[in-house]
Amino acid sequence: MAAPQKNRSVLLGRLPLPERNHLADALRTETVGGVLLLAAAVAALIWANTPIKDSYESISTFHLGPGALGLNLSVQHWAADGLLAVFFFVAGIELKRELVAGELRDPKAAILPVVAALCGMAIPAVVYTTVASSGGGSLQGWAVPTATDIAFALAVLAVIGTALPSALRAFLLTLAVVDDLFAILIIAVFFTSQLNFVALGFAVLGLAVFRLLLWKGVRGWYVYVPLAVVNWALMYNSGVHATIAGVAMGLMLRCHRHDGERVSPGEHIEHLVRPLSAGLAVPLFALFSAGVSLSGGALSDIFRRPETLGVVLGLVLGKAVGVFGGTWLAARFTRAELNPDLKWPDVLAVASLAGIGFTVSLLIGELAFGDDPVLSGEIKAAVLVGSLIAAVLASILLKLRDNKYKKLCAEEDRDEDQDGIPDIYEQDDPAYHLRMAAILEAKAAEHRRRAEVASGRTTGDDGPA
């Protein structure tokens, strides 16, 4: 008889309680942000496809800012280069937290989201390249379908997958964090214009000062906010995409707790800035980036032009196959196995959500095809259509698995002793078992009393009245 396997870890197992609570807080903010993002995208589409569309173009291309500092930018560029720096700042904090206190702190646990994210970016790029090259199209947009929009994905979960187990939600969130990291690297490496080494040198110096002040324990928003703005401006003028400054500063924050601290400085700042990112920065970016013409002819062209078809297929097919395949590979070739409470169709449902690529996909589309306004607009339309198709497919899969999710979620949230801690986290606590024994005895006594009342007897009576 074969020897039993030992030391196998569980993929998508139950989260530690602090991680679960942090996840719940993050999901609430991102979900609200996703709803606002959706509203902004719809408003942009309506605005750009009605008789007042000229005003949309006028406002989007209106320039403002100090030209002497190289910052006389259009409103659309301020949204993409300025406001998105706040979004990437939060992404940097989230990545740092995952590295020091989350799913990525343990190399063994990090294998799953990293492999899934890498496959979830590589396969869409391969799909786009294959489709575009076979149709004689441009290969510049290979990176467009590689990104996942976590806010939109969580908004879909808020409506459809309300009972999704926390482990799967955490997987999606961690996957998006790793996805953002590689998207940042793609932007930095492949979409950096000619470098201004003087500005870049001063930007690096500014980041070093930012890190030194943090290390010295200097406090005060009036110190860090102006310095952050200066670092952003220097990074923009260096030729490196300005959002990289936001990521770098987010990664510098301390996200582990010292003795006596309820939250770390990074967690505190993330709590303050995340609503600004999800509620203002990203929706405004969507408002001035998603306004593309969606006439009948333009929509049909999406499925005929190789570049746009590659984006749609990359998001819908490539993302789902990549993320699901990466997860399966981790289970197949590492000493890990899927949580027995879950099935592979559950993973596929979440993997299909990764095809909702909006914020970063739109940004990369602008960077890749900025010199061709017509194609840039068509790529944006393809991102919208591909994300919509992925959202619909994911919703169908989530609904098909909804009853399974509800059962798992009910078990995970059950709190019989009403102490605010789910019972599943207290199973090894002797005090918990004493409380549960008392609760069960009280319930049994109540059941006996009701049975006596139903039979016509009460305590102390000799028989029926």
Side-chain angles (χ1 to χ4, degrees), residues 268-430:
H268 175 66
I269 294 174
E270 180 190 3
H271 180 73
L272 295 176
V273 180
R274 187 184 286 275
L276 175 64
S277 169
L280 181 66
V282 176
L284 281 178
F285 167 75
L287 181 64
F288 292 108
S289 294
V292 295
S293 176
L294 292 179
S295 63
L299 287 174
S300 62
D301 287 344
I302 290 174
F303 298 96
R304 289 200 294 258
R305 184 157 187 164
E307 294 92 345
T308 51
L309 180 60
V311 169
V312 172
L313 292 179
L315 288 172
V316 176
L317 183 63
K319 270 292 186 180
V321 171
V323 173
F324 180 84
T327 308
W328 183 86
L329 287 173
R332 176 67 177 83
F333 295 106
T334 67
R335 299 187 64 81
E337 56 189 7
L338 187 67
N339 184 336
D341 289 333
L342 299 173
K343 303 298 181 184
W344 283 109
D346 300 324
V347 180
L348 179 61
V350 174
S352 62
L353 279 171
I356 304 176
F358 190 83
T359 306
V360 181
S361 290
L362 289 176
L363 175 61
I364 294 177
E366 290 182 1
L367 296 175
F369 298 104
D371 55 348
D372 187 342
V374 174
L375 183 53
S376 178
E378 292 176 345
I379 290 293
K380 289 181 181 181
V383 170
L384 296 177
V385 171
S387 298
L388 177 61
I389 295 173
V392 171
L393 291 176
S395 299
I396 293 172
L397 292 173
L398 287 169
K399 269 300 179 186
L400 291 174
R401 303 296 299 168
D402 195 47
N403 290 333
K404 173 74 173 180
Y405 290 144
K406 285 180 180 177
K407 192 179 298 183
L408 288 174
C409 195
E411 179 64 23
E412 194 174 83
D413 291 337
R414 186 165 55 86
D415 186 14
E416 292 280 355
D417 55 354
Q418 299 294 310
D419 63 347
I421 301 175
D423 296 339
I424 200 168
Y425 291 92
E426 299 181 291
Q427 292 175 349
D428 296 328
D429 182 4

